[in-house]
Amino acid sequence: MLTGTSPAAKGAVLLAFGEGNGPTDPDFLDALAAAVKAGVVLMDNTQVQRGAVLPGAYATGLGAIGAVGAYDMTPEASYAKLVCLLAGGLDAAAVKAEMPKPLAGELTVID
């Protein structure tokens, strides 16, 4: 049995549609926006096997609520990178700034 409170989430990996768009349910988007406002880093990954999240490609893109586009990183790479950056003591703003930068060949820079 757990006692006390669980630690708050500091990050999450979302599996979006296609190039980064997601459900448009206002309650869902409000919950995600509230998480971002609270300092949770949300990674916007595509669930397709080949492709990339292109922030701003769609008005329904999760980047509109503050999620970080993962470009062509796999969800697993996003998760590992997110954990490493957060474990390194970076705050949410610094993690968001580092996530789109290739650090170990985990993503292709897309202009």
Side-chain angles (χ1 to χ4, degrees):
M1 182 172 146
L2 296 173
T3 58
T5 60
S6 298
K10 294 183 179 182
V13 175
L14 306 173
L15 295 178
F17 311 137
E19 292 180 329
N21 58 325
T24 58
D25 178 88
D27 292 334
F28 176 70
L29 295 175
D30 288 347
L32 292 179
V36 169
K37 187 175 180 180
V40 177
V41 179
L42 298 178
M43 290 305 301
D44 184 8
N45 278 82
T46 184
Q47 60 181 310
V48 299
Q49 289 187 4
R50 292 185 185 191
V53 168
L54 300 174
Y58 294 102
T60 56
L62 296 175
I65 55 93
V68 179
Y71 296 99
D72 64 344
M73 272 192 290
T74 65
E76 296 82 3
S78 280
Y79 177 75
K81 188 172 184 177
L82 188 59
V83 168
C84 288
L85 292 172
L86 289 168
L90 298 178
D91 65 10
V95 171
K96 285 182 173 185
E98 290 300 314
M99 287 304 288
K101 297 177 185 175
L103 300 176
E106 74 282 5
L107 75 117
T108 305
V109 177
I110 300 171
D111 294 321

